[in-house]
């Protein structure tokens, strides 16, 4: 293994370890359990969204609507419980159904109507951003709010629902982190160990070859968007459970943060392709960096800058280093 | 001949431990066509890439009209007058721009053509188009042009640089006969203008028609130079392969019971209906010019296209596949043409490329069984004679011939009723072609095999029966015994006219 191969494979993980070491040295409070838990909790929702978008990247697509799906799920959950006064189970079920439905529509637009993926999901993003505010005329949803048709909303967030965002196993590990780990493992197993995942990678690499090998390319493409939509809705549910109200302004950064995590994932272990493990590491990387900077009292507005810089460095890792390697092999 | 335009002295190039060029000495005279032959892996492409500035040589030197020439980039080589037309035509054009902009692209890029009206662009581009006999509408986007015209656009663009050396890398591999003739006319004119031409091809017809000299490469050195008339192409072939190949001898088999029966098949509206019976154990070659309808036949059999009429039966049962998946389910497999576009998964290793169509055989429920995959990979690499280190090698590290062995092997992994191969020998060196052909005949007993090729000698090498296709119908049929290949070729050409 040459020095470059080593750098491509382990460079990003070493960078991650180095960063943890540096923050721990500068700020002793960094290397503690509460700090670690906080980091995990902060990346849980973007991580779940990022794992969904990873599935669409695998089939050579892209889902720009995940952020909007998540906030729509947030609003829908709040509406179901506060206005319709239904329970946690109904809220979760309807949200997941909504996410899967949006994914299905995205997939159909892209596969059957042949709308390019970026445009279809961008359009869907706008539709959802508008749609989620129509029932409440643009207001946030909370118990006691005035309804457009007159009257006051009487329902409350059910405690079971709130527990999704707030309960901690053994008083330490938040439930949302457990969800992240579960989703990460499931997506990893699906993409790496099943034939469906393998065929999805084939589609992303050469869709024509996959089709002529007898693969139902359209179905897998649609499936990827359904997975993406469903996971985005799950993220929205967790966000709603953490906030405890249907806040129209929350979730602004979800799309960009999760896309960044998925793209950073390309660089992990020199994969040069979307992959579940890399996406999880990418999300963690961004979380650690932000937590470290916050503990060092860096001002909030440096955060986006730092995230952007990390993304660019990761993309350089992926494309410049491995690209040069590929040319030398040819 | 007016002396050497290019002189190559002791050129070496290695990638890691792999010494690809091991001391090349070669003169390329102006006003002559030098044909470069070599099996895949001989170092042809590396030599070309050094000349056109993609790779830098490790040792030795190149003189261009007496001056040292060591381009650091393709742009530099272009400025010095070394112009390359690549096999992959779309590398040389911008499909979304119109023809005029494509022709003037280099001038637009270096700033000598600034903002101009479409009319002025077309006026400036017209002489360039006329110089190569390109008759296409200059305002049309290049992606709407036929392949041959796209290639002419690439060549016309190259001509704007007043080339001293023009390198053509298998330029006829996707051209029809008439298109190839037009290209040959252009090459004759360039030769008369004193351009040195380096022409890389596996096609004997091209070589006989064009070559002033033939250079054979093997294992990174020049294995033979032939310039005495008549050119000793057999000797060049020997030098390139390092052994006598001999003619492929085969005893045509009659075939057993019918597998595929087509009655009154109409491939497209207006085409004459035809019948076709493919029997078990039989290898049938369908030959014809590009555009004769071979691709449509493959598409109809594999469920990507619908026939305009007629009746298809497979083992006596009606057969009208609506998708490749359905065709595969009925035991009809297709090795598609153009493996890069239609068959290879470029990011994957050999093993994964081999298991792609029958992945469910290597899975328990949804979960893959890596050991089963590796076992199949090893078996197919062995059976097909793929030259590689192991099944974990990236598919991109293989030569074209070995890639094709993988693509064919992937479909030989499971038994089938009808195996269709569409141009399986495109961009495959002669040795790999013989290997693949032999393997196809060895395994042919339990199925019917249909090979679609535009080269008649490829058909004669492999088939029991040869059908000639033209105008989307079958115009002649021959048993492959003491065939006059020239006559078969004329049949295909005349029926098309």
């Amino acid at each position: 293994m040459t020095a470059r191969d080593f750098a491509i494979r382990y460079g990003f993980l070493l960078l991650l370890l180095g960063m943890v070491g540096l923050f721990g040295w500068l700020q002793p409070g960094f290397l503690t359990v509460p700090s670690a838990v906080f980091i995990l909790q902060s990346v849980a929702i973007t991580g779940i969204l990022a794992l969904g978008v990873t599935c669409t990247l695998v089939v050579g697509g892209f889902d720009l609507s995940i952020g909007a799906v998540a906030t729509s799920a947030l609003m829908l959950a709040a509406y179901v419980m506060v206005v319709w006064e239904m329970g946690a189970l109904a809220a979760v079920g309807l949200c997941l159904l909504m996410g899967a439905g949006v994914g299905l529509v995205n997939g159909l637009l892209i596969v059957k109507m042949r709308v390019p993926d970026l445009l279809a999901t961008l359009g869907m993003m706008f539709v959802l951003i508008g749609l989620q505010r129509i029932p409440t005329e643009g207001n946030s949803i909370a118990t006691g709010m005035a309804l457009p048709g007159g009257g006051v909303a009487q329902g409350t967030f059910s405690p079971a629902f709130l527990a999704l965002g707030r309960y901690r196993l053994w008083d330490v590990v938040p439930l949302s982190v457990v969800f992240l780990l579960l989703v990460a493992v499931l997506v990893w197993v699906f993409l790496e160990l099943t034939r469906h995942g393998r065929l999805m990678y084939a589609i992303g690499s050469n869709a024509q070859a996959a089709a002529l090998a007898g693969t139902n390319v359209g179905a897998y493409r649609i499936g990827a968007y359904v997975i993406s939509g469903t996971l985005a809705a799950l993220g929205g549910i967790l966000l709603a459970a953490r906030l405890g109200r249907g806040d129209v302004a929350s979730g602004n950064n979800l799309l960009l943060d999760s896309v960044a995590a998925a793209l950073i994932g390309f660089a992990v272990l020199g994969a040069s392709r979307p992959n579940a493990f890399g996406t999880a590491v990418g999300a963690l990387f961004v979380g650690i960096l932000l937590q470290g900077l916050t503990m060092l009292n860096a001002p909030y507005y440096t955060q986006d800058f730092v995230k952007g810089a990390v993304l660019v460095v990761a993309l350089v890792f992926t494309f410049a280093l491995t690209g040069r390697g590929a040319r030398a092999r040819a | 001949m007016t002396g050497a335009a290019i002189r190559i002295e002791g050129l070496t190039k290695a990638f890691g431990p792999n010494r690809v060029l091991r001391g090349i000495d070669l003169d390329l005279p102006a006003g002559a066509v030098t044909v470069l032959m070599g099996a895949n892996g001989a170092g042809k492409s590396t030599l070309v890439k050094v000349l056109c500035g993609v790779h830098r040589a490790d040792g030795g030197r190149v003189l261009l009209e007496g001056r040292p020439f060591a381009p650091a980039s393709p742009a530099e080589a272009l400025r010095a007058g070394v112009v390359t037309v690549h096999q992959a035509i779309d590398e040389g054009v911008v499909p979304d721009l119109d023809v005029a902009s494509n022709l003037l692209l280099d001038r637009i890029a270096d700033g000598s053509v600034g903002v101009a009206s479409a009319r002025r662009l077309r006026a400036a581009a017209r002489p360039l188009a006329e110089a190569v006999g390109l008759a296409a509408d200059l305002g049309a986007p290049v992606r709407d042009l036929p392949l041959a015209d796209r290639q002419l656009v690439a060549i016309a663009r190259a001509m704007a640089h007043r080339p001293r050396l023009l390198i053509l890398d298998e330029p006829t591999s996707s051209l029809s006969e008439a298109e190839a003739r037009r290209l040959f006319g252009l090459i004759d004119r360039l030769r008369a203008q004193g351009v040195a031409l380096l022409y890389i091809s596996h096609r004997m017809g091209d070589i006989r028609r064009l070559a002033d000299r033939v250079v054979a490469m093997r294992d990174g050195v020049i294995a033979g130079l032939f310039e005495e008339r008549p050119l000793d192409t057999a000797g060049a072939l020997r030098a390139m392969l390092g052994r006598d190949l001999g003619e492929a001898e085969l005893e045509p088999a009659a075939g057993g019971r019918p597998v595929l029966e087509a009655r009154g098949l109409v491939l497209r509206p207006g085409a004459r209906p035809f019948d076709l019976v493919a029997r078990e154990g039989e290898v049938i070659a369908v030959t014809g010019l590009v555009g004769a309808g071979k691709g449509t036949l493959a598409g109809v059999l594999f469920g990507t296209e619908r026939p305009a009429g007629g009746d298809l039966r497979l083992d006596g049962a009606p057969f009208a596949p609506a998708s490749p998946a359905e065709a595969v389910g009925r035991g009809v497999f297709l090795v598609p043409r153009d493996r890069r576009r239609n068959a290879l998964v470029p990011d994957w290793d050999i093993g994964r490329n081999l298991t792609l169509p029958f992945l469910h055989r290597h899975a328990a429920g949804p979960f893959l069984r890596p050991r089963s995959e590796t076992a199949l990979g090893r078996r197919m690499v062995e059976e097909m004679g793929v030259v590689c280190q192991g099944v974990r090698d990236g598919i991109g590290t293989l030569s074209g011939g070995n890639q094709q062995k993988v693509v064919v092997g992937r479909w030989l992994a499971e038994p089938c009723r009808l195996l269709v191969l569409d141009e399986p020998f495109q961009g495959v060196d002669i040795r790999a072609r013989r290997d693949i052909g032999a393997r196809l005949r060895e395994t042919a007993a339990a199925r019917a095999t249909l090979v679609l090729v535009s080269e008649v000698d490829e058909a004669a090498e492999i088939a029991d029966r040869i059908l000639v296709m033209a105008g989307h119908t079958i115009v002649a049929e021959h048993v492959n015994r003491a065939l006059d290949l020239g006559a078969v070729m004329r049949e295909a050409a005349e029926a098309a006219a």
Side-chain angles (χ1 to χ4, degrees):
Chain A
M1 189 183 282
T2 66
R4 172 187 287 153
D5 288 343
F6 188 81
I8 290 171
R9 242 182 123 67
Y10 300 113
F12 219 81
L13 289 178
L14 290 176
L15 204 60
L16 184 71
L17 284 179
M19 206 171 64
V20 170
L22 182 71
F23 283 134
W25 181 59
L26 290 174
Q27 186 57 259
F30 183 80
L31 290 179
T32 58
V33 172
S35 158
V37 167
F38 183 85
I39 290 171
L40 284 170
Q41 190 169 17
S42 73
V43 301
I45 293 168
T46 48
I48 289 171
L49 263 65
L51 287 161
V53 87
T54 301
C55 292
T56 61
L57 289 170
V58 166
V59 293
F62 205 105
D63 191 348
L64 281 177
S65 69
I66 47 167
V69 171
T71 52
S72 297
L74 163 81
M75 296 300 279
L76 179 62
Y79 203 84
V80 167
M81 288 182 292
V82 174
V83 180
W84 290 348
E85 299 177 23
M86 292 162 88
L89 214 57
V92 170
L94 285 172
C95 285
L96 292 179
L97 222 56
M98 184 274 301
V102 169
L104 183 65
V105 173
N106 276 335
L108 290 173
L109 282 174
I110 292 161
V111 172
K112 301 288 177 199
M113 308 289 167
R114 297 171 187 277
V115 182
D117 44 30
L118 283 174
L119 306 183
T121 54
L122 182 74
M124 185 53 77
M125 176 179 107
F126 276 112
V127 167
L128 290 176
I129 288 176
L131 191 62
Q132 70 196 16
R133 297 181 182 198
I134 289 175
T136 61
E137 298 183 332
N139 295 312
S140 294
I141 301 171
T143 308
M145 69 179 279
L147 294 172
V152 171
Q154 298 294 344
T156 53
F157 272 63
S158 92
F161 187 86
L162 290 174
L164 290 176
R166 297 175 179 177
Y167 181 75
R168 287 171 180 245
L169 289 179
W170 312 292
D171 279 335
V172 181
V173 187
L175 218 47
S176 56
V177 173
V178 176
F179 277 114
L180 171 67
L181 293 178
L182 211 62
V183 169
V185 169
L186 283 177
V187 171
W188 182 81
V189 166
F190 177 71
L191 288 178
E192 303 292 333
L193 301 185
T194 73
R195 62 192 173 94
H196 306 294
R198 174 75 66 80
L199 291 175
M200 281 168 67
Y201 275 113
I203 291 166
S205 184
N206 186 347
Q208 175 78 352
L212 288 177
T215 309
N216 191 339
V217 172
Y220 278 107
R221 279 225 170 100
I222 294 172
Y225 286 94
V226 171
I227 294 173
S228 172
T230 310
L231 290 182
L234 176 62
I237 291 167
L238 295 179
L239 187 62
R242 189 187 298 169
L243 294 174
R245 62 200 192 94
D247 186 351
V248 286
S250 59
N252 287 335
N253 266 335
L254 281 176
L255 170 66
L256 294 180
D257 285 2
S258 42
V259 168
L263 293 178
I264 289 171
F266 281 39
V268 177
L269 290 182
S272 301
R273 61 189 177 117
N275 67 99
F277 179 71
T279 300
V281 172
L284 204 60
F285 192 96
V286 173
I288 288 173
L289 196 59
L290 294 184
Q291 166 74 347
L293 289 173
T294 309
M295 289 181 88
L296 293 175
N297 291 323
Y300 70 92
Y301 43 79
T302 53
Q303 294 197 351
D304 278 339
F305 169 78
V306 169
K307 272 187 271 185
V310 169
L311 178 58
V312 170
V313 169
L315 293 177
V316 167
F317 254 96
T318 306
F319 292 101
L321 290 180
T322 56
R324 219 178 306 154
R327 200 192 309 167
R329 276 201 308 275
Chain B
M1 292 189 194
T2 55
I6 289 257
R7 166 160 291 176
I8 300 166
E9 293 175 349
L11 204 66
T12 59
K13 175 77 190 172
F15 298 109
N18 190 5
R19 292 170 64 212
V20 180
L21 298 182
R22 304 187 298 164
I24 300 280
D25 294 292
L26 181 64
D27 284 355
L28 300 174
V33 176
T34 305
V35 168
L36 180 61
M37 293 170 66
N40 281 332
K44 285 175 314 201
S45 350
T46 307
L47 177 60
V48 169
K49 282 177 180 164
V50 168
L51 289 177
C52 70
V54 175
H55 293 324
R56 304 207 65 164
D58 298 335
R61 61 174 187 165
V62 179
L63 297 173
L64 178 64
E65 291 175 343
R67 281 193 303 276
F69 169 69
S73 69
E76 201 179 316
L78 212 57
R79 278 197 297 277
V82 174
V83 171
T84 312
V85 176
H86 291 282
Q87 189 178 3
I89 289 164
D90 284 337
E91 280 175 18
V93 295
V94 184
D96 288 338
L97 286 181
D98 63 10
V99 174
S101 305
N102 262 285
L103 292 175
L104 296 172
L105 200 57
D106 299 295
R107 285 201 240 160
I108 293 171
D110 71 16
S112 61
V113 172
V115 181
S117 71
R119 201 165 45 85
R120 292 228 340 254
L121 273 183
R122 284 203 290 276
R126 190 151 298 122
L128 296 175
E130 279 165 5
V132 298
L134 172 67
D137 171 13
L138 295 180
V142 162
R143 78 179 115 78
D144 294 347
L145 262 46
L147 211 54
D149 280 353
R150 267 184 272 168
Q151 187 181 46
L152 277 184
V153 170
I155 294 175
R157 223 184 103 194
M159 296 315 298
H161 293 279
R162 309 192 186 293
R164 297 190 177 112
L165 170 65
L166 179 64
I167 303 169
L168 297 135
D169 189 358
E170 297 201 39
T172 56
S173 56
S174 29
L175 299 189
S176 72
E177 196 100 339
E179 290 165 342
R181 271 203 298 275
R182 188 167 64 168
L183 179 68
F184 295 159
L186 178 63
I187 290 173
D188 286 340
R189 258 181 293 149
L190 291 174
R191 166 163 45 197
Q193 285 167 21
V195 177
L197 291 126
L198 183 63
Y199 191 96
I200 297 164
S201 182
H202 295 129
R203 295 191 158 187
M204 276 301 152
D206 292 12
I207 296 170
R208 278 187 216 106
R209 163 74 176 73
L210 286 174
D212 296 307
R213 327 156 63 225
V214 176
V215 173
M217 249 181 111
R218 190 177 75 239
D219 299 334
V221 294
I222 301 294
L225 171 62
F226 303 83
E227 31 191 359
E228 267 165 45
R229 302 224 156 240
L231 286 172
D232 179 10
T233 45
L237 216 56
R238 251 196 319 277
M240 150 185 159
L241 295 171
R243 65 183 163 101
D244 236 327
L245 202 58
E247 282 301 303
E249 281 298 323
L250 64 86
E251 187 49 44
R257 62 196 173 91
V259 175
L260 177 79
E261 293 166 279
R263 301 262 170 256
L265 189 63
V266 184
L267 285 184
R268 71 168 180 202
R272 196 161 54 84
F274 65 91
D275 295 350
L276 168 65
V277 179
R279 295 170 184 284
E280 203 164 63
E282 196 182 30
V283 178
I284 303 174
V286 179
T287 184
L289 306 179
V290 170
K294 304 188 300 291
T296 315
L297 177 62
V300 164
L301 294 175
F302 201 56
T304 57
E305 291 181 60
R306 311 280 164 274
D311 175 46
L312 271 177
R313 284 176 177 275
L314 188 73
D315 288 322
F319 178 62
S323 69
E326 195 185 330
V328 172
R330 294 284 299 272
V332 174
F333 299 169
L334 170 73
V335 177
R337 62 161 48 210
D338 192 349
R339 61 178 170 272
R340 264 173 208 283
R341 182 193 293 249
N342 295 325
L344 294 177
V345 179
D347 300 344
W348 283 3
D349 58 24
I350 296 169
R352 290 188 174 196
N353 266 290
L354 277 168
T355 54
L356 176 63
F358 303 109
L359 212 49
H360 56 275
R361 294 267 185 232
H362 309 283
F367 294 103
L368 290 166
R369 293 182 294 143
R371 238 176 274 161
S372 156
E373 277 199 83
T374 311
L376 178 93
R378 292 221 177 99
R379 179 163 76 83
M380 290 324 295
V381 161
E382 170 91 0
E383 281 179 15
M384 296 304 298
V386 179
V387 182
C388 63
Q389 311 283 322
V391 291
R392 292 276 86 88
D393 285 8
I395 194 77
T397 65
L398 297 185
S399 67
N402 281 310
Q403 288 181 349
Q404 190 69 20
K405 287 178 182 173
V406 171
V407 169
V408 174
R410 138 195 316 180
W411 292 107
L412 292 182
E414 293 280 319
C416 69
R417 298 305 299 143
L418 173 67
L419 179 65
V420 183
L421 302 101
D422 191 2
E423 296 289 1
F425 305 124
Q426 228 173 37
V428 171
D429 66 277
I430 190 163
R431 194 175 210 160
R433 187 170 96 202
R434 293 278 165 96
D435 287 352
I436 293 172
R439 189 74 202 134
L440 285 175
R441 287 197 66 85
E442 278 165 34
T443 56
R447 58 157 197 262
T449 309
L450 210 54
V451 188
L452 315 176
V453 287
S454 33
E455 298 281 294
V456 176
D457 26 352
E458 291 174 4
E461 228 172 68
I462 185 170
D464 301 309
R465 265 197 300 154
I466 298 178
L467 309 181
V468 181
M469 197 166 215
H472 284 70
T473 189
I474 287 173
V475 294
E477 178 180 340
H478 305 273
V479 174
N480 186 11
R481 187 179 282 133
L483 259 187
D484 177 359
L485 295 184
V488 177
M489 230 178 300
R490 273 195 301 282
E491 260 171 9
E494 277 159 21

